């Protein structure tokens, strides 16, 4: 598949996932961010686009998985209560099935400079979107 076709397909799939799974305010913010990022990469080199598309593929999978889980919880098809799971040598660890959008990241998660910059941009976009 050509790079251009792959990019357009990925872009459309992300916007569809936003429309299907995100609340209205997050959809607006997400759509604006995706459009800006894809516009910035229209003239990128193919080797740069490979990584760009890989990361957006991961994002799309995350949005779809989280959205489907939320739909199942809302429809009461799966239990939102914490469930137990064996995890290697660790004993039972509690896993909350109701993870999703809009939750705070715990303070012990390390971010590199690029991630911090992206979070700051996202925060600024959210503030600007709320003002409109």
């Amino acid at each position: 598949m050509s790079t251009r076709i792959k990019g357009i397909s990925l872009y459309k799939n992300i916007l569809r996932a936003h429309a299907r799974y995100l609340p209205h305010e997050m959809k607006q913010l997400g759509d604006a961010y995706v459009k800006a990022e894809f516009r910035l990469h229209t003239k990128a080199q193919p080797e740069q686009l490979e990584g760009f598309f890989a990361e957006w593929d991961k994002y799309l999978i995350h949005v779809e998985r989280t959205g489907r889980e939320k739909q199942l919880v809302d429809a009461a098809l799966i239990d939102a209560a914490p469930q137990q799971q064996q995890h290697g040598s660790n004993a039972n660890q509690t896993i909350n099935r109701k993870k999703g959008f809009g939750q705070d990241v715990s303070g012990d998660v390390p971010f590199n400079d690029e991630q911090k910059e992206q979070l700051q941009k996202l925060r600024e976009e959210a503030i600007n979107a709320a003002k409109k």
Side-chain angles (χ1 to χ4, degrees), residues 25-95:
E25 297 82 18
M26 290 184 72
K27 177 193 174 306
Q28 288 181 316
L29 177 63
D31 287 355
Y33 186 75
V34 169
K35 288 175 185 176
E37 283 293 309
F38 273 76
R39 256 188 225 119
L40 288 172
H41 287 80
T42 56
K43 304 281 189 223
Q45 298 299 317
E47 57 272 3
Q48 293 171 322
L49 289 175
E50 192 173 305
F52 178 77
F53 290 154
E55 290 303 314
W56 281 105
D57 278 329
K58 289 179 193 176
Y59 170 77
L60 177 60
I61 291 166
H62 173 74
V63 170
E64 289 174 337
R65 182 181 303 133
T66 306
R68 285 188 200 115
E69 282 184 6
K70 183 174 179 349
Q71 286 178 339
L72 292 173
V73 168
D74 291 347
L77 296 176
I78 63 172
D79 185 14
Q83 298 182 1
Q84 300 293 321
Q85 174 183 349
Q86 289 289 342
H87 207 340
S89 63
N90 295 343
N92 291 332
Q93 292 182 342
T94 303
I95 296 179

